[in-house]
């Protein structure tokens, strides 16, 4: 590690700062959440760690995010599977979809994915790659 480039040093510094901020926010207890034993402990970091690790291992982002959400719902429900499903559906998906701002962001993201897929299928990414090599 004696000959690290300045870009690598900057990346390592940014990663350390990001990890510190995430850890600090995860360990800060919120008012009204004191009834849950997982708030403000290391266990609040477990669902995102699981989601990121599964995404890196399996290369499937959607199923990995769903697994992270499921683990978080189990933590909120104190291990009760029925309550975890209720929490995940009612307090998670329904609450997100009932806000117009979130729905607008979801529609934009879906349309962006559709345009990207159409560009790929039409050969636009290959043409851009050939153009960029010139």
């Amino acid at each position: 590690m004696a000959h690290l480039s300045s870009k690598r040093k900057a990346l390592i510094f940014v990663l350390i700062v990001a990890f510190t901020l995430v850890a600090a926010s995860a360990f800060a207890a919120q008012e009204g959440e004191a009834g849950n034993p997982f708030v403000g402990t290391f266990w609040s970091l477990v669902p995102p760690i699981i989601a990121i690790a599964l995404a890196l291992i399996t290369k499937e982002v959607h199923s990995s995010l769903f697994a992270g959400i499921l683990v978080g719902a189990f933590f909120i429900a104190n291990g009760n599977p029925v309550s975890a499903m209720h929490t995940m559906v009612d307090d998670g998906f329904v609450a997100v979809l009932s806000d117009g701002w979130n729905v607008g962001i979801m529609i934009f993201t879906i349309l962006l994915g559709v345009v990207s897929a159409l560009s790929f299928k039409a050969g636009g990414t290959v043409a851009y790659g050939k153009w960029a090599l010139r």
Side-chain angles (χ1 to χ4, degrees), residues 116-130:
S116 298
L118 282 173
S119 174
F120 177 75
K121 292 288 184 183
T125 54
V126 174
Y128 179 76
K130 288 179 182 177

Side-chain angles (χ1 to χ4, degrees), residues 20-45:
T20 305
L21 290 175
V22 168
S25 65
F27 291 118
Q30 299 285 328
E31 190 173 310
E33 295 178 347
N36 193 324
F38 298 108
V39 173
T41 65
F42 168 77
W43 293 104
S44 61
L45 292 174

Side-chain angles (χ1 to χ4, degrees), residues 95-111:
V96 167
L97 293 176
S98 65
D99 185 13
W101 182 259
N102 291 337
V103 172
I105 291 173
M106 285 178 56
I107 290 172
F108 171 76
T109 306
I110 290 168
L111 289 176

Side-chain angles (χ1 to χ4, degrees), residues 77-90:
N78 292 323
N80 184 352
V82 175
S83 181
M85 289 298 155
H86 175 73
T87 299
M88 191 169 61
V89 172
D90 287 346

